Amino acid sequence: MARRGNQARRVRSPAARPPVTREFSAGGLVCRRVRGEWTVCLAGRRIHPGSDLVWILPKGHVEEGERMEETALREVREETGLEADILDRLGDVTYWYVRREREGNPSRVFKRVRFFLMLYRGGRFGDRDEEMDDVRWFSLERAETMLAYANERMLMARACEILAGQAP
């Protein structure tokens, strides 16, 4: 028999929940062939000063009036310094996070990021902005182990499938 203090209470009104904001971003995985082997570009960022690099795919917010493809190409250019052409769509990643607004109130954010597989056309790492701490080329195998987030590793596996079907 349940004690009186452990009995369920009737809920009179739902708990107040922070408002939900939706954000859309786009990014890309740039690839190129070097001596017959595919390599890909990853961006590294330190989450905290002095911490290890966290390797990710470059991405950023969709600006007003911009298509996802345009955003992905712009963000890759800004964060890596590379120019590329879109080969294929890799997929979408969605996740939730909470941020504090200016007033200190929490806000729930639902974020969707669309990623594209891109073919390197030109450019150099030295022409990038300062948002990323490092940018490097990796072999496909090494890139899969370097990516920090499982959802981006799944996109890398998809990129490997697509690139396996590309003519040498």
Side-chain angles (χ1 to χ4, degrees):
M1 180 164 169
R3 293 188 323 228
R4 179 172 249 187
N6 290 341
Q7 291 178 344
R9 293 181 301 169
R10 173 170 261 181
V11 176
R12 296 178 199 272
S13 64
R17 298 185 77 160
V20 174
T21 303
R22 297 189 187 286
E23 288 184 357
F24 298 95
S25 292
L29 176 65
V30 179
C31 65
R32 71 174 181 179
R33 267 194 206 273
V34 176
R35 293 185 279 292
E37 300 294 324
W38 287 109
T39 60
V40 294
C41 177
L42 301 182
R45 178 186 302 173
R46 285 183 173 73
I47 304 300
H48 305 288
S51 66
D52 290 339
L53 287 171
V54 174
W55 292 97
I56 59 174
L57 302 179
K59 65 181 176 293
H61 293 284
V62 177
E63 301 291 335
E64 181 84 25
E66 210 174 32
R67 291 179 25 246
M68 292 286 222
E69 294 85 350
E70 294 168 329
T71 299
L73 291 168
R74 176 181 53 78
E75 287 292 336
V76 163
R77 184 177 56 254
E78 289 174 2
E79 294 183 359
T80 68
L82 303 180
E83 298 284 338
D85 295 314
I86 293 177
L87 283 176
D88 207 339
R89 181 172 156 186
L90 283 177
D92 291 359
V93 170
T94 58
Y95 54 93
W96 289 88
Y97 70 93
V98 175
R99 73 168 164 233
R100 296 263 173 213
E101 301 300 334
R102 286 188 191 148
E103 309 81 35
N105 299 326
S107 173
R108 293 180 301 148
V109 179
F110 175 77
K111 183 157 189 162
R112 178 180 305 276
V113 185
R114 178 157 296 159
F115 286 99
F116 297 91
L117 181 61
M118 301 176 178
L119 184 61
Y120 172 74
R121 191 166 29 100
R124 31 182 234 111
F125 292 155
D127 294 335
R128 65 186 170 87
D129 63 21
E130 298 299 317
E131 188 172 346
M132 295 298 161
D133 294 305
D134 198 1
V135 181
R136 295 185 200 162
W137 291 104
F138 292 93
S139 68
L140 290 177
E141 299 77 24
R142 182 82 171 126
E144 282 187 274
T145 65
M146 295 301 293
L147 283 167
Y149 303 110
N151 51 18
E152 291 187 4
R153 288 192 297 274
M154 288 174 34
L155 294 174
M156 177 62 68
R158 169 89 173 109
C160 289
E161 291 172 6
I162 295 169
L163 293 174
Q166 294 290 312

